[in-house]
Amino acid sequence: MNPYVPILVLTALGAAFAVLSVAGSFLIGPRRHNRAKLDAYECGIEPTPHAVGGGRFPVKYYLVAMLFIVFDIESVFLMPYAVAFGKLGLFALVEMVLFMVTVFVAYAYMWRRGGLDWD
Amino acid sequence: MTALPSTLVAGTPDAVSLAASGAVQERAWLLVALPLAGAAILLLGGRRLNRWGHWLAVALSWSAFAWGVLLFWSLRGQAPDDRSRSLHLFTWVPAGNFQLDAGLLLDPLSVAFVLMVTFVASLIHVYSVAYMEHDPDRRRFFAYMNLFVASMLLLVLADSYVLLYVGWEGVGLASYLLIGFWNHNPDYAAAAKKAFIANRVGDLGLTIAIMIMFATFGTVTYSGVLSGLDGASEGTLTAIGLMLLLGACGKSAQFPLQSWLGDAMAGPTPVSALIHAATMVTAGVYLVVRSGPIYESAPTAQLLVVIVGAVTLVFGAIVGCAKDDIKKALAASTMSQIGYMMLAAGLGPVGYIFAIFHLLTHGFFKAGMFLGAGSVMHGMNDSVDLRGFGRLNGVMKVTWLTFAAGWLAILGVPPFSGFFSKDKIIETAFATGDGARPWLVGSVALVGAGLTAFYMSRMFFLTFHGRKRWPEDAHPHESPLLMTVPMVILAVGSVALGGFLAFDHTFLNWLEPATGTAHEEDPVLAAIVIQGATLALVAAGIALAWARYWRAEVPATAPAGNPLTVAARNDLYQDQVNEVLLMQSGQYLTRSLVFVDNRGVDGLVRGSAAAVGGLAGRLRRWQTGFVRSYATSMTAGVIAVVLGVVAVRI
Amino acid sequence: MTPVQHLAFLETGMHRTASEAGFSAPEVDYAAVSPMLVIFGAALLAVLVEAFVPRRFRYAVQVPLTLLSLAGAFGAVVWYSTTGDHLQTAGSMVSDPTGGGVSTLEGAVVIDSVSLFLQGTLLLLAFLSVLIMSERNLDSGGSFTPAASAVPGSPGEEQALRAGFCQSEIYPLLLFTVGGMLLFPAAADLLTMFIALEVLSLPLYLMCGLARRRRLLSQEASLKYFLLGAFSSAFFLYGAALLYGYAGTVRLSGIATAITVPTTDAQLGRDWLMLTGIALVAVGLLFKIGAAPFHSWTPDVYQGAPTPVTGFMAAATKVAAFGALLRVLYVAFSGARWDWEPALWGVAILTMVVGSVIAIVQTDVKRMLAYSSIAHAGFLLTGLLAVDVSGLRSVLFYLVAYGFTTIGAFALVTLVRDSGEEGQIGGEATHLSQWAGLGRRSPLLAATFTLFLLSFAGIPLTSGFSGKFAVFAAAVSHGAWVLALIGVLASLVAAFFYVRVIVLMYFSEPTSGGTAVVAPGAATVFAVVVAAAVTVVLGVAPSLLLDLTRDAVFLP
């Protein structure tokens, strides 16, 4: 069998899931609107009001999101390292520590420059 | 002429250049370095040099001349066949298998140029000290003059086309700077730009020629190219020849790139004398003579050299007949005389010698006359209007006599210099080729001599004879010694140089090793007949001019004149032709492309929007400065590139 | 080890799992990659400086740190290229695999003579750029905005201005981008190259938005550059994916083998995959060098970015991107040269024509220089299309010549300022009419700018002539006649607008007031003098540098 076939199948399944969920809730879900429901979804934070074009997200929200991604990526790289830890030895340990230090540099910058202060 | 076996031509492998020997030859680079140092010192030295900087320039120019004389003696002391010396300076561009050395070629031809250039230049330097005395920028002027001398010497001493190109651009730059020296006048600045652009067109030809040479011969030295001619097809050689000719036309103001020379008279008069009469404008002739073997192997290109020379010779003469501006009339005459040289340069080895011979004598008498014109302007409140002169012979005796020497020399009256050089060109023109060609070329040269006599006599009589037509506020006076002495020296040259060099074939023998053995052929008419006819035409020209411009009343404003006169006054409409053919079409092309980028150029776009109409609107909609449209054009580009790559396989 | 090398290492590491059972530690030649380690290390340090050093000391710490690290990295390049036997002289453009150069980090990075040459060039150019960026005589607080994140014209920005803040983030950003540039031409597989591309691009996008004056224009430039850059990166990545599909590897040498000797089923008869991949990868790189029709960002970005950044970007990005383009085309794709050459011919011709012709009608000096840089990209492509060792050498030479002249020219642009009625100094006077008559008021500045313009125009005895001569000679000697001819014609057109500026400076009446030339500090003066000196020296004695490029050869 062509090795690409499973990928195609997976793609089709994924697309079907997305389409079906949205379409299904649209078709069969109850519709009772209130203000909270119509607001932009923002992790429970009040959206910043804006004169034109409706609500606008505060830029700080993105800072937090980006910081999250930094650590997200770090863990992505930690996973394969953990799997092959035994075979890689001291070299990889040093490298991995360096990598984490690198990531923490970004974190330190963010913290010192007030990226974590909400107001 | 094509009968000459190419092995007889110097510059070919038989005349292998020996290495320079002796201190004088080995230090020949001083010729270029001295004036260059002068230019650098004057430009960088700042105001503190204002008091004595010009004398430094004069001294350096003379010392270059002195070195040239030493060099001449050192070459003269050697056997004629050993007089071609090469001097390696340094390796300039070592790029892979292509190596370019910077070196000088010291041979009779280049040394003849060195002597003439440095001598005339030094005299004009002296003259300028007085002429530019009241100019606040005199130091800058002398810096440019020294720069010019250095570039010109590099041009003639270079041993490869690329190094020649460096000098070529250098003289172009100096010329540009000096034409626009009084650039506070927008007309003068425009003239400088015009000269620059016309020269760039010519330079393009030279560039292409050098590229073809490199592609064909793998080298760009004279010896390498000229010795490898057998290996190239005639077509290639013709292409090289034509492109070199284009370069020569730009620099030497030959048809059809002649239009800048008249406007170049905007520069100070010593500049006109040195650059636009005696030296730089003759560089094209030098280039053609230096590349002689190429033209001998490419008869078509050689014929075109003759045609260009003949056309310019008549063209310049006609324009010269109608100009009322003394400097522009002289410029037209220069154009015409260079036409003679170019014509001769297209006639093979004999022609080369007489081309160079005429170039030297012309350098003297034309520079002398330009300095005379400068002297007249000096005494007449900088007026250049011939119709406002007249009867200056009494008040400016020295100027009058020196100008007369130049006048008789250019007319070719024996025994003045021009007789020996120009007459020989006319004779050679009658002796070249077969069939109708000698008759045709010869007659053009002959008629040119008559025209020359007319317009030069016109100028001479209008300036120095006839009635006084001076403006009321004019108080003509003779110029100071610093100006008259150089004029006198040049006048002596105008009188005697030709006879001196022609005596016992001195110059012919000197130049022969460099240009090839000359076999004089018999003209289709007896030489004595040609000489007689020339002199008769010259006499007729003088007589006509005398009747119209000495004896008769000359109106202070030019009469309407017949259509030919009007056309000649307007330089035979060359500017208009250029404008229609080149400028407008160029501008149209530019404007069309402007639509691709509408920002900051809306004004231009609107001007021609009506013409290009709907297409413009569509193109402009693409390029709005919006990222989305940029992305669209990029996508189109991506598709084009992908299709372009894939399409090759289909 | 830095994130970039980490990613490269991990990528190659994962790659190996597919073929071998398990990991093993990769070999790292620390000496060979030491310049990159120095720069990335310094960049991280600079970020920490931003975080922990009080605001008023930051500038005083950042500038020496940046300059020292650049100098140190350059020292490392020189040291590494003069010691050891890894460099070889060869007659062909790609040496045999056993030849000179070092392939390290599991083959992800190749340090050969070309990499070293380009890295040295980049570090010198960056050094000069930092000198110009550190200039504080022109504007109190430097050329950069005090608060990049504040809305232009807002009270916040006003406050920051009044407090005399300066955004010293420019230095770490520059170090990151230089690091990416060092890696870019040394990358030996398409993924590493892509990462280098992003590492050099992202900080550049930000740097473009940091102009002190005309904030909106600067931010627009930044955003445009970012969007279009991301767009072109996507093409590069797509091309890399297609090539992976064809060759089964992203390693350049592997792709070269697959193109020359197709063996597997995936390769035989699937040339379209390979050809489309080549085209898309080339497009991604052509965008970076500003070749038409992927040039549309250039004028807007060059105009909007802070001028010191523009100079750096115009010089260094071009060097790095041409290095990568050379490596990809010469090492990986040379087997298919007959397929991609015609398309690149078209691109080169279009680039030269568009750059030269549109530049004529520009009225802004920065936009004019932007179009001029497009035209120069075309001339460089002409040399590159020789696809031969002479093409390689001529392009390397041209890059150095062009880079120094460009930095010098943009540095001078920063000195000509608007001036108000009471003589207060404003932003840069970039409209050409404001440059009229400069020759009389500031002869030294005008003369130096003239030198740079003459070099751009390719007048003999300047580095521009030597460079043009080299690329056109390379093109002609490989039969690319038409290209060289169009190149000469385009440079003729280009000469016109360069000379127009010279004429304007010397032969026009100055506009009545409104323009002032500000005296720069010693650092800028030094940078301009160096740039001018290089321009002259490479024109008079190009052999000094050509000797260095003589041994240039790629290691596959």
Side-chain angles (χ1 to χ4, degrees), chain B residues 433-508:
Chain B
D434 35 37
R437 188 169 150 186
W439 290 101
L440 209 61
V441 179
S443 333
V444 171
L446 195 59
V447 171
L451 282 171
T452 308
F454 173 71
Y455 71 79
M456 286 311 295
S457 307
R458 170 180 177 273
M459 183 194 308
F460 185 67
F461 296 154
L462 279 176
T463 309
F464 294 102
H465 298 284
R467 260 166 238 179
K468 285 182 189 172
R469 299 179 302 275
W470 309 344
E472 282 171 15
D473 56 344
H475 304 288
H477 54 84
E478 187 53 271
S479 301
L481 268 184
L482 271 181
M483 286 170 68
T484 48
V485 169
M487 284 155 58
V488 170
I489 296 175
L490 287 173
V492 171
S494 312
V495 175
L497 183 71
F500 175 71
L501 290 180
F503 179 72
D504 200 19
H505 300 296
T506 311
F507 190 65
L508 197 127

Side-chain angles (χ1 to χ4, degrees), chain B residues 90-98 100 140 162 165-166 169 173 176-177 180-181 183-184 186 189 192-193 196-197 200-201 204 207-208 210-212 214-215 220 589-590 593-594 596-597 599-601 604 623 625-627 629-638 640-642 644-646 648-649, chain C residues 220 224 227-228 231-232 235 271-272 274-276 278-280 283 287 293-294 296-297 299-300 336 338-340 342-343 347 353 357-358 360-363 367 371 393 440 459-461 465 469 472-473 476-477 481 484-485 488-489 492 495-496 499 503 506-507 509 539-543 546-547 550:
Chain B
F90 57 91
T91 302
W92 191 20
V93 184
N97 47 8
F98 173 65
L100 186 55
R140 191 160 58 90
V162 170
Y165 186 71
V166 175
E169 291 289 325
L173 173 68
Y176 170 71
L177 292 170
F181 188 73
N183 53 48
H184 39 80
K193 235 189 310 186
F196 186 85
I197 289 169
R200 285 306 294 188
V201 175
L204 175 67
T207 316
I208 294 175
I210 292 176
M211 281 167 35
I212 308 180
F214 176 66
V220 289
L589 175 72
T590 318
L593 281 159
V594 161
V596 181
D597 186 273
R599 299 190 57 187
V601 294
L604 262 178
Q623 291 283 328
F626 289 123
V627 175
S629 53
Y630 291 172
T632 313
S633 71
M634 271 174 63
T635 313
V638 170
V641 169
V642 170
V645 171
V646 176
V648 174
R649 283 291 171 90
Chain C
E220 183 187 331
K224 269 184 187 167
L227 289 174
L228 293 171
F231 193 50
S232 74
F235 285 119
D271 284 346
W272 62 269
M274 175 259 286
L275 293 174
T276 317
I278 289 176
L280 291 175
V283 164
F287 172 86
F294 315 106
S296 39
W297 59 278
D300 292 7
W338 307 117
D339 297 311
W340 52 260
V347 170
V353 171
V357 172
I358 300 186
I360 288 181
V361 294
Q362 295 306 314
T363 51
R367 274 186 96 79
Y371 278 108
R393 285 167 194 170
R440 234 161 295 163
I459 304 293
L461 296 183
F465 172 75
F469 189 90
F472 292 153
V476 168
S477 62
W481 257 104
L485 187 66
V488 170
L489 286 172
L492 197 74
F496 174 77
V499 169
V503 169
Y506 284 100
F507 299 153
E509 284 304 313
V540 178
S543 50
L546 283 170
D547 280 346
R550 182 171 291 172

Side-chain angles (χ1 to χ4, degrees), chain C residues 154-511:
Chain C
S154 68
E157 187 181 49
E158 200 111 311
Q159 223 174 350
L161 255 175
R162 236 175 301 124
F165 287 174
C166 85
Q167 194 113 42
S168 46
E169 268 90 348
I170 189 88
Y171 303 104
L173 287 174
L174 178 118
L175 283 173
F176 277 119
T177 198
V178 169
M181 286 171 179
L182 296 186
L183 178 60
F184 203 27
D189 66 49
L190 290 174
L191 270 183
T192 310
M193 194 173 272
F194 177 73
I195 289 165
L197 175 70
E198 291 303 310
V199 170
L200 84 85
S201 300
L202 289 169
L204 265 186
Y205 302 148
L206 289 176
M207 288 161 76
C208 288
L210 291 182
R212 184 177 197 81
R213 302 177 190 269
R214 299 214 259 179
R215 296 277 312 131
L216 277 175
L217 201 64
S218 176
Q219 295 193 341
E220 183 187 331
S222 177
L223 188 66
K224 269 184 187 167
Y225 194 20
F226 169 67
L227 289 174
L228 293 171
F231 193 50
S232 74
S233 296
F235 285 119
F236 183 93
L237 205 53
Y238 190 20
L242 292 181
L243 284 170
Y244 180 78
Y246 175 78
T249 173
V250 287
R251 185 73 28 95
L252 298 182
S253 51
I255 294 172
T257 318
I259 288 175
T260 328
V261 200
T263 45
T264 66
D265 289 345
Q267 290 159 12
L268 290 165
R270 294 172 76 180
D271 284 346
W272 62 269
L273 200 60
M274 175 259 286
L275 293 174
T276 317
I278 289 176
L280 291 175
V281 165
V283 164
L285 296 171
L286 288 172
F287 172 86
K288 276 287 158 212
I289 63 168
F294 315 106
H295 68 287
S296 39
W297 59 278
T298 316
D300 292 7
V301 174
Y302 278 26
Q303 189 184 15
T307 308
V309 172
T310 311
F312 170 71
M313 196 163 65
T317 313
K318 203 150 282 191
V319 172
F322 256 102
L325 191 63
L326 276 170
R327 186 177 296 279
V328 166
L329 292 180
Y330 281 25
V331 174
F333 301 160
S334 63
R337 57 177 294 190
W338 307 117
D339 297 311
W340 52 260
E341 264 185 16
L344 275 194
W345 268 56
V347 170
I349 291 171
L350 193 65
T351 308
M352 289 188 283
V353 171
V354 163
S356 309
V357 172
I358 300 186
I360 288 181
V361 294
Q362 295 306 314
T363 51
D364 183 287
V365 69
K366 281 170 85 179
R367 274 186 96 79
M368 190 203 83
L369 289 176
Y371 278 108
S372 139
S373 99
I374 295 173
H376 283 286
F379 300 139
L380 280 158
L381 281 176
T382 305
L384 180 146
L385 278 167
V387 197
D388 179 84
V389 70
S390 69
L392 172 63
R393 285 167 194 170
S394 65
V395 170
L396 291 182
F397 179 87
Y398 198 116
L399 284 171
V400 177
Y402 165 81
F404 280 93
T405 310
T406 304
I407 287 196
F410 278 107
L412 292 179
V413 172
T414 62
L415 305 185
V416 183
R417 296 304 182 105
D418 289 324
S419 69
E421 278 165 20
E422 286 109 39
Q424 74 273 33
I425 301 303
E428 280 151 13
T430 54
H431 198 273
L432 273 178
S433 65
Q434 292 172 291
W435 285 60
L438 220 57
R440 234 161 295 163
R441 289 186 303 155
S442 312
L444 209 57
L445 182 142
T448 321
F449 200 64
T450 302
L451 170 70
F452 293 141
L453 289 176
L454 290 177
S455 175
F456 282 142
I459 304 293
L461 296 183
T462 61
S463 60
F465 172 75
S466 316
K468 281 218 176 80
F469 189 90
V471 290
F472 292 153
V476 168
S477 62
H478 290 84
W481 257 104
V482 183
L483 263 189
L485 187 66
I486 295 175
V488 170
L489 286 172
S491 43
L492 197 74
V493 173
F496 174 77
F497 64 79
Y498 295 125
V499 169
R500 198 184 53 156
V501 179
I502 298 175
V503 169
L504 193 73
M505 288 194 298
Y506 284 100
F507 299 153
S508 301
E509 284 304 313
T511 45

Side-chain angles (χ1 to χ4, degrees), chain A residues 70-71 74 78 92-110, chain C residues 1-3 6 40-41 43-45 47-48 52 176:
Chain A
V70 168
F71 289 100
E74 187 182 357
L78 276 174
L93 183 66
V94 174
E95 290 285 332
M96 219 53 220
V97 169
L98 281 176
F99 173 57
M100 282 190 279
V101 167
T102 309
V103 173
F104 270 104
V105 167
Y107 174 74
Y109 175 75
M110 179 113 169
Chain C
M1 197 184 230
T2 62
H6 240 287
F40 281 122
L44 289 177
L45 207 56
V47 173
L48 289 176
F52 293 104
F176 277 119

